[in-house]
Amino acid sequence: MRCDDVIRYLEKPFTAEESLDCLNLFLRKWFEKRYKAPTPPQLYSFKLITEGKNVLITAPTGSGKTFSAFMSILSDLMNLSLANRLEDKVYCIYVSPLRALNNDIYRNLNVPLDQLFSDITIQIKRITVGIRTGDTTQAERQRMLKHPPHILVTTPESLAILLNSERFAEHLKGVKYVVIDELHELANNKRGVHLSLSIERLAGLIGHDFVRVGMGATLSPLDEAARYLVGYEGENERDCVIVDATWEKRLDFTALSPVRDIVNSSEKAIDDSIYSIIDAIVKKNRTTLVFTNTRSGTERVVYNLIKRFKYGEESIAAHHGSLSREARLGVEDLLKKGKLKVAVSSTSLELGIDIGTIDNVVQIGSPKSVARAVQRIGRSGHSFNDVARGEVIVTSRDDLVECSVMLDAAKRRHLDTFTTPKNALDVLAQHIVGMSQNGKWTLDKAYALVRNSYAYHTLPRKDFLSLIEYLSGAYVGLESRRVYAKIRYDEKEQAFSRRGKLTKLIYFMNIGTIPDEVAIDVVTPDNKWQGSIQEEFLSRLKPGDVFVLGGKPYRFDSSRLMKAFVTPAPGQVPTIPPWYSEQLPLTYELALEIGRFRERMAAAIGTPAKKSRNGIAALRRSGLKPNAEARKLLDAMPIDENAKVAIFNYFTEQLLYAGCVPNDRLMLIERTIDKEGERNLLIFHSLYGRRVNDALSRLFAIRLSELLNADVAVNITDNGFVLITELQARPGAKAISALVDGVGKGEMRRILTRDIRKTEMMRRRFRYNAARSFMILRNYMGRKISVRKQQVNSQLVLKAAEEINPDFPIIKETYREILDDVMDMPRAERVAMALASGEIAHKVIETSVPSPFSHLLITFGESDVIMMKDRRRHIRELQRQVLAKLGGRAR
């Protein structure tokens, strides 16, 4: 069956009459009484869902997505109620990644239902809505067992629990609809993989399929999202109709440079301008939402607005994941009531939680993806007919180019893509244990059900069998590490089933994919505590990395359990900033878009720049203006005049100094030394996003270390990476040539797999995967196991598993997760091969002062992302040296 036979786009909406005619008469009257007409996504979806079609709806916030999914479902339930056939069972399951969003849906369904049933004079059974999450009280759970809601609102984790709740599972056997909201937040990670298996298990449990409805504001590619939503029936894809109303809502956005010269302006001038711009926007609007990219940035913006402009605490608030649930709900409630002038958030208000009417969105710094920019700016203009307005305030010249290209891509309706993790063995192990609790399964039947999930359709049978072996206790050597069998396997019947009451308790107490994380103590050789860092940050560190804690630089040496051992490193430049693990990575697609813009911009200004007899000196004295071609390119971008000048100057300086502008088809390799003259820097301008650069940099660092027989430190950013060696280990032309010559197909994965085993990331990620697959437990007999104890247990288990079978399924999954989910190995391999073949050109230059495009790259670790005071100072000095050299050449 060809893909386009089953996954198809509905190009033309139905008419309003065709859409409304699908609805129950009472429901139609209620809708027409309160709304002028169906919105675009509703004009597509009412009829499709009524006809029993699987539907993927992508539309902006405020476009009526909720009713797009639910009106046909409510209509069906109303018809059943009027016919006196509405039973006490679940007809519809709604799943979202956020409990807060679940509470919104509960309210947003019950209010219309209250209105609907108050308008009906005849006595009929009311449609009920219930929430089942980790917050649901035991009393409410008991009430649901007796009187199950017709529409069940839940989370991925709670749905998995319900599938193994024998009494409640009976109420699920009449499910006709499953609705997944914010699908883009699930389909690209293991929570979504977990959910996809739960949905296939639900279909197996009830013995029939159901209508699947997916919703999201920014989904790309839509066909992949649709395939994730519907999965397979055996070897055939299930059908799905895609309703794309993403761009129906008008967007009005601009990238702003706070000053004309973002490099040479003082820190005070830049900060004053940033906060003055925010204040002016806030004063113009009733409610403004400000996004930063880190929690610390959120707190800093709130502090500065209060300090500088005397905002009262009743008019401004912060909202991020480190605040208590009560504090976050309080902020959301104030926004809904229109009582806040400005809310500042990191990522926590990005999704579709109902926060009332937002007039304007301000983004500080790059959100790192087109989809995220559209999602955030789309939070403004609550009504579908409103214009979503937003400004992106940049904090550096690279930021400026990135945000300009990002908004231009949004203007051209080009979103970056997501991928669904494939064949995650840790999540599958968890579900096999869950399936065993439901009864006896033949291997063939279980394998077939698992492969119906899009995330597992390509699962090799040998990997499935290796999990059965592990879970059934075939690896006796693991019992010495307290890893016992979780299922009973009958080899003769080729079937598995439940194994004891304790396993059921283990399953319920340890279900889910979100790992436990804690703060890590930072300790010096004299055993003095210096502070703490996030565990995710620790997992990114390699021995020799330098980071700042409490304003002082430390070199990371090693870690043991919940401690990181460091040595003070006064005067050393950090290679990784403390907010690195919080910062969003630049997407591969956006990186390529930036590369294409760089190529076009360099071509547009290349000739006049080379003809400028006095080089940069003339540019500064006379204010050399962009030529017609460059001006045309800049004028087409959604940026202010300051930004146009800054971009033109930035590119001109790079062209004059380095002779080229690196892009996605030209990798510039720059050989230079650090500002102290103590270390060699080999700078790779590699414009493929941070996940690709993470893999490439590790490969090149390993190979360079072997070539020079020396230690190599690495500094990774979105736009490239730096390999750092001691002064005596200077990479020569042959060494550089050997690096870009590439490796054979599959060799890169082998080299990195060998290297990763020694990293902190491997140790931490294995613990996460071991917990998901019940090799270690997070909770046992009602007692929570500390993260410290989990880490001890996981290291013992890892060692034992490696001795038994180096290809042990959970070890295999850990390597897959690091290489394919944390890094982007498939694309990194393609880049490495293209570099070796010459499809991607490379150019090596030697500079006494690093070129302008490398300034942000080599100062990556020096400061906080919002203020950047130390970093700006260093960049200003680097640029002064560049300009001096260019001026010297001209004279």
Side-chain angles (χ1 to χ4, degrees):
M1 188 175 283
R2 291 184 299 114
C3 294
D4 53 6
D5 287 334
V6 288
I7 306 293
R8 61 189 179 90
Y9 289 77
L10 191 64
E11 301 294 343
K12 184 181 176 184
F14 299 101
T15 65
E17 182 57 34
E18 285 176 309
S19 298
L20 294 173
D21 196 45
C22 297
L23 303 180
N24 167 274
L25 186 59
F26 289 108
L27 192 63
R28 176 174 179 168
K29 284 181 178 178
W30 171 86
F31 186 87
E32 290 180 317
K33 183 178 175 181
R34 286 162 177 84
Y35 300 98
K36 292 179 182 178
T39 62
Q42 292 168 357
L43 289 172
Y44 287 94
S45 61
F46 286 1
K47 190 170 174 60
L48 290 170
I49 297 172
T50 300
E51 291 173 349
K53 299 285 196 301
N54 296 321
V55 181
L56 175 68
I57 304 166
T58 176
T61 302
S63 61
K65 276 201 304 292
T66 301
F67 281 165
S68 296
F70 276 106
M71 285 299 285
S72 298
I73 297 170
L74 292 174
S75 179
D76 185 16
L77 298 183
M78 278 296 295
N79 290 335
L80 288 172
S81 183
L82 286 164
N84 200 28
R85 292 193 292 114
L86 187 64
E87 301 176 41
D88 281 348
K89 63 182 181 182
V90 177
Y91 288 87
C92 172
I93 298 175
Y94 166 92
V95 185
S96 93
L98 295 177
R99 293 178 188 177
L101 193 52
N102 285 339
N103 292 326
D104 274 348
I105 292 294
Y106 178 77
R107 283 191 299 270
N108 292 340
L109 287 178
N110 270 315
V111 169
L113 285 171
D114 287 342
Q115 296 168 350
L116 175 64
F117 280 87
S118 67
D119 291 345
I120 299 173
T121 55
I122 59 175
Q123 284 292 106
I124 61 170
K125 192 169 187 175
R126 181 188 163 108
I127 299 167
T128 58
V129 183
I131 297 183
R132 176 64 187 264
T133 69
D135 293 334
T136 306
T137 64
Q138 197 60 42
E140 182 59 30
R141 293 179 191 191
Q142 289 302 314
R143 275 195 294 272
M144 278 191 194
L145 275 174
K146 293 178 183 176
H147 304 288
H150 302 120
I151 298 174
L152 177 65
V153 177
T154 190
T155 60
E157 293 76 17
S158 291
L159 176 59
I161 289 171
L162 291 174
L163 291 174
N164 282 94
S165 175
E166 290 175 23
R167 292 173 63 195
F168 198 89
E170 286 299 312
H171 298 314
L172 300 178
K173 291 188 176 180
V175 167
K176 297 175 69 177
Y177 308 94
V178 171
V179 180
I180 304 176
D181 204 354
E182 303 292 354
L183 189 134
H184 56 286
E185 282 295 310
L186 290 167
N188 66 349
N189 58 52
K190 285 190 173 181
R191 280 189 85 195
V193 170
H194 193 277
L195 175 61
S196 75
L197 279 176
S198 290
I199 291 172
E200 295 306 330
R201 285 179 58 198
L202 175 65
L205 174 72
I206 65 182
H208 62 78
D209 209 353
F210 33 75
V211 174
R212 303 167 191 232
V213 181
M215 300 189 289
T218 48
L219 288 167
S220 182
L222 286 170
D223 55 349
E224 170 128 348
R227 289 183 173 93
Y228 166 81
L229 173 67
V230 298
Y232 291 76
E233 190 64 55
E235 294 305 316
N236 297 323
E237 287 183 320
R238 295 189 181 100
D239 69 277
C240 186
V241 183
I242 297 172
V243 172
D244 185 5
T246 309
W247 307 100
E248 295 288 342
K249 190 172 182 179
R250 290 174 295 157
L251 299 171
D252 181 7
F253 40 63
T254 311
L256 305 176
S257 176
V259 291
R260 195 172 180 83
D261 187 341
I262 205 166
V263 175
N264 292 298
S265 297
S266 68
E267 291 82 15
K268 185 178 184 305
I270 293 171
D271 291 339
D272 287 350
S273 180
I274 287 173
Y275 289 109
S276 293
I277 291 169
I278 297 172
D279 181 56
I281 292 168
V282 170
K283 283 188 167 66
K284 274 195 311 187
N285 296 288
R286 192 180 68 174
T287 307
T288 300
L289 178 57
V290 179
F291 281 106
T292 66
N293 289 333
T294 64
R295 297 171 188 183
S296 58
T298 293
E299 295 291 351
R300 186 167 288 111
V301 170
V302 171
Y303 172 80
N304 271 283
L305 288 175
I306 292 173
K307 180 183 175 184
R308 290 166 182 263
F309 304 108
K310 311 303 179 192
Y311 283 79
E313 289 186 5
E314 70 285 351
S315 64
I316 187 171
H319 190 289
H320 56 71
S322 293
L323 296 172
S324 69
R325 181 171 178 268
E326 291 72 22
R328 296 196 308 274
L329 288 174
V331 174
E332 292 161 24
D333 189 53
L334 288 172
L335 281 169
K336 282 178 210 168
K337 293 175 179 175
K339 293 185 177 181
L340 277 182
K341 280 290 289 178
V342 57
V344 187
S345 174
S346 51
T347 60
S348 51
L349 288 178
E350 185 177 296
L351 297 183
I353 301 168
D354 184 8
I355 51 175
T357 300
I358 301 295
D359 300 317
N360 204 98
V361 169
V362 177
Q363 166 72 46
I364 300 178
S366 172
K368 298 295 176 183
S369 88
V370 182
R372 195 172 290 111
V374 171
Q375 176 92 12
R376 291 182 175 184
I377 293 168
R379 296 296 275 150
S380 66
H382 190 68
S383 163
F384 180 71
N385 293 319
D386 292 343
V387 177
R389 302 185 189 280
E391 292 82 20
V392 180
I393 303 174
V394 304
T395 55
S396 69
R397 295 199 292 188
D398 277 5
D399 225 19
L400 175 55
V401 173
E402 187 174 300
C403 291
S404 303
V405 174
M406 179 190 305
L407 295 185
D408 184 59
K411 191 173 71 172
R412 292 183 284 108
R413 304 186 172 192
H414 175 87
L415 293 175
D416 15 47
T417 63
F418 76 91
T419 54
T420 299
K422 300 295 195 306
N423 305 326
L425 299 178
D426 54 340
V427 176
L428 179 56
Q430 193 173 122
H431 273 281
I432 289 173
V433 174
M435 290 164 71
S436 74
Q437 298 298 308
N438 293 134
K440 196 169 194 176
W441 290 80
T442 66
L443 294 188
D444 288 344
K445 184 180 177 183
Y447 181 58
L449 181 141
V450 166
R451 289 185 68 249
N452 282 344
S453 161
Y454 174 66
Y456 290 94
H457 191 64
T458 60
L459 176 72
R461 190 176 177 95
K462 65 181 180 61
D463 287 349
F464 177 75
L465 294 176
S466 73
L467 279 178
I468 297 294
E469 287 182 352
Y470 147 58
L471 291 169
S472 62
Y475 299 113
V476 179
L478 288 175
E479 290 193 358
S480 64
R481 300 303 181 194
R482 298 181 183 177
V483 180
Y484 302 108
K486 306 294 188 303
I487 63 174
R488 193 176 303 279
Y489 175 49
D490 187 323
E491 191 171 358
K492 184 179 178 181
E493 291 189 29
Q494 290 286 287
F496 65 90
S497 58
R498 72 176 72 194
R499 189 185 189 100
K501 293 180 180 179
L502 183 58
T503 302
K504 185 174 183 179
L505 184 62
I506 287 171
Y507 178 77
F508 279 129
M509 296 297 293
N510 293 274
I511 200 167
T513 60
I514 301 171
D516 294 335
E517 291 197 41
V518 294
I520 303 295
D521 290 336
V522 176
V523 179
T524 48
D526 54 2
N527 210 33
K528 285 187 178 177
W529 181 79
Q530 304 299 315
S532 60
I533 55 177
Q534 293 177 324
E535 187 175 14
E536 174 63 19
F537 177 64
L538 173 65
S539 74
R540 302 275 180 173
L541 292 176
K542 303 180 295 297
D545 277 345
V546 176
F547 65 96
V548 173
L549 182 64
K552 297 177 181 177
Y554 294 93
R555 186 183 68 249
F556 173 66
D557 297 323
S558 64
S559 74
R560 189 165 65 250
L561 303 180
M562 297 294 111
K563 286 185 178 180
F565 297 95
V566 300
T567 303
Q572 288 198 33
V573 177
T575 58
I576 185 165
W579 40 263
Y580 179 71
S581 59
E582 264 195 277
Q583 195 187 46
L584 304 163
L586 180 71
T587 62
Y588 176 76
E589 288 84 6
L590 182 52
L592 295 187
E593 287 285 324
I594 294 167
R596 291 169 194 133
F597 172 75
R598 282 186 176 188
E599 190 172 14
R600 291 197 305 271
M601 194 67 194
I605 66 176
T607 303
K610 289 173 184 174
K611 285 182 179 177
S612 175
R613 292 181 57 197
N614 296 318
I616 211 74
L619 178 67
R620 290 298 175 201
R621 282 198 303 273
S622 62
L624 184 66
K625 297 290 192 298
N627 62 320
E629 202 176 335
R631 170 55 70 177
K632 182 180 178 183
L633 191 55
L634 291 167
D635 284 346
M637 307 291 282
I639 57 180
D640 68 351
E641 196 59 35
N642 280 351
K644 293 173 186 177
V645 171
I647 290 173
F648 176 72
N649 288 350
Y650 190 28
F651 275 71
T652 305
E653 289 168 15
Q654 176 70 20
L655 273 169
L656 287 168
Y657 187 76
C660 71
V661 169
N663 58 61
D664 60 305
R665 298 195 302 164
L666 171 63
M667 183 182 287
L668 179 64
I669 303 170
E670 193 171 342
R671 190 166 57 170
T672 187
I673 57 173
D674 66 4
K675 63 179 180 179
E676 290 82 16
E678 296 175 352
R679 295 184 301 173
N680 300 300
L681 306 180
L682 198 58
I683 305 167
F684 291 79
H685 296 262
S686 169
L687 204 62
Y688 307 105
R690 197 194 312 158
R691 290 175 60 222
V692 170
N693 286 340
D694 196 348
L696 280 178
S697 65
R698 288 172 190 266
L699 173 70
F700 285 6
I702 292 165
R703 298 182 73 204
L704 186 62
S705 178
E706 292 170 350
L707 288 165
L708 301 179
N709 193 26
D711 291 333
V712 178
V714 183
N715 181 346
I716 309 160
T717 74
D718 291 315
N719 294 336
F721 54 91
V722 186
L723 304 185
I724 306 163
T725 63
E726 294 301 323
L727 210 55
Q728 63 271 21
R730 184 164 175 76
K734 284 186 178 179
I736 296 171
S737 179
L739 291 182
V740 298
D741 274 349
V743 291
K745 190 169 178 61
E747 190 72 3
M748 184 175 183
R749 186 175 288 270
R750 186 190 64 77
I751 292 171
L752 291 191
T753 298
R754 184 188 64 201
D755 178 68
I756 284 166
R757 177 60 188 93
K758 302 172 285 187
T759 65
E760 190 61 39
M761 185 178 289
M762 173 66 184
R763 288 189 282 273
R764 302 286 155 181
R765 292 278 169 174
F766 179 79
R767 189 192 89 220
Y768 300 166
N769 293 341
R772 291 187 192 111
S773 55
F774 305 147
M775 290 191 78
I776 63 169
L777 302 180
R778 294 180 289 175
N779 296 280
Y780 183 68
M781 302 292 284
R783 190 180 80 252
K784 187 167 179 61
I785 310 297
S786 71
V787 177
R788 177 188 175 89
K789 184 67 174 172
Q790 288 179 46
Q791 191 65 30
V792 172
N793 292 343
S794 72
Q795 292 312 294
L796 294 172
V797 167
L798 174 59
K799 187 176 179 183
E802 283 181 323
E803 289 171 357
I804 294 167
N805 178 10
D807 205 29
F808 189 84
I810 310 308
I811 297 175
K812 183 176 181 177
E813 169 57 23
T814 304
Y815 286 125
R816 188 212 63 78
E817 179 181 299
I818 293 172
L819 293 174
D820 294 343
D821 298 350
V822 179
M823 300 178 200
D824 189 346
M825 177 60 69
R827 285 170 172 153
E829 283 183 309
R830 289 202 295 271
V831 170
M833 301 285 279
L835 195 60
S837 69
E839 183 184 341
I840 295 175
H842 74 276
K843 180 180 180 180
V844 182
I845 63 171
E846 186 141 358
T847 55
S848 54
V849 178
S851 71
F853 272 34
S854 66
H855 293 176
L856 276 172
L857 207 160
I858 64 173
T859 60
F860 178 62
E862 293 188 9
S863 178
D864 180 86
V865 72
I866 296 294
M867 301 300 286
M868 299 195 298
K869 288 184 178 178
D870 296 334
R871 196 179 185 192
R872 284 177 184 157
R873 232 175 262 127
H874 188 182
I875 289 170
R876 192 180 302 121
E877 174 57 25
L878 287 169
Q879 198 207 26
R880 187 194 65 75
Q881 293 177 36
V882 165
L883 299 184
K885 286 186 176 296
L886 284 171
R889 285 182 193 168
R891 288 191 294 272

